[in-house]
């Protein structure tokens, strides 16, 4: 963690899903500028991380130098779960991001709070594998957009903090293919592009059918 690039922000602990627990182990919110590493592959694991605002990408560098993004985490989501004492992926702020470190060692029994979060992460990872198993690029992108919309409250206007390259590295597609699919969905009237990082879903049922 690059401490010299991080500022602390006073965000009330009550915004965390662990607000009912002892506040002593919920640390102040740390600010990570875009592109800042939160933790690295191979580092010692332990605390969890709760996104207060912004977005985080979790990825691994492959032997050939390519990057494989395994997850995106948005505001209100918790990440950093590991099966052992070591981080197996990198975590990096996509944009200006506030993260609260949750130091759980020695805290009260939190199994009831942590288990649903861990299971939610597992389900999302399984769904990601199903998306990667699809041959059709349109199906992958459609499923991704449906997921992003659901995680933002089911609104028709969806914010995409990640770049097209990030989306490609998450879906196993090239940036050119991702851009072509976005253009095709726009031409079919399924979505309306509001900018590079924002769009409106015009035909939600069609997008759902494409992503199934």
């Amino acid at each position: 963690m690059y401490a010299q690039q991080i500022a602390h922000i006073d965000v009330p602990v009550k915004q965390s899903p662990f607000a009912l627990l002892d506040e002593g182990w919920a640390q102040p919110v740390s600010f990570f500028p875009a592109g800042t590493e939160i933790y690295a592959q191979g580092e010692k694991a332990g605390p969890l991380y709760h996104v207060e605002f912004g977005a985080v990408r979790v990825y691994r560098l492959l032997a050939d130098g390519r990057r494989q993004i395994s997850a995106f985490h948005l505001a209100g989501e918790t990440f950093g779960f590991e099966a052992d004492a070591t981080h197996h992926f990198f975590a990096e702020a996509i944009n200006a991001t506030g993260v609260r470190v949750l130091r759980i060692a020695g805290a009260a029994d939190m199994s009831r709070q942590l288990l649903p979060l861990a299971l939610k992460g597992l389900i999302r990872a399984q769904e990601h594998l199903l998306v990667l198993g699809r041959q059709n690029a349109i199906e992958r992108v459609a499923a991704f957009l449906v997921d992003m919309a659901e995680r933002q409250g089911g609104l028709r206007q969806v914010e995409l903090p990640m770049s097209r390259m990030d989306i490609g590295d998450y879906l196993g597609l090239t940036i050119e293919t991702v851009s072509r699919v976005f253009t095709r969905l726009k031409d079919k009237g399924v979505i309306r592009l509001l900018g590079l990082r924002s769009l409106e879903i015009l035909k939600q049922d069609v997008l759902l059918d494409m992503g199934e």
Side-chain angles (χ1 to χ4, degrees), residues 146-178:
V146 169
D147 176 58
M148 291 298 296
E150 290 176 348
R151 290 162 68 180
Q152 294 180 40
L155 301 177
R156 288 186 176 273
Q157 183 169 329
V158 181
E159 300 300 322
L160 300 175
M162 64 291 295
S163 67
R164 298 289 192 267
M165 181 175 291
D166 284 341
I167 296 172
D169 288 348
Y170 179 69
L171 297 177
L173 303 170
T174 65
I175 184 174
E176 294 82 7
T177 298
V178 172

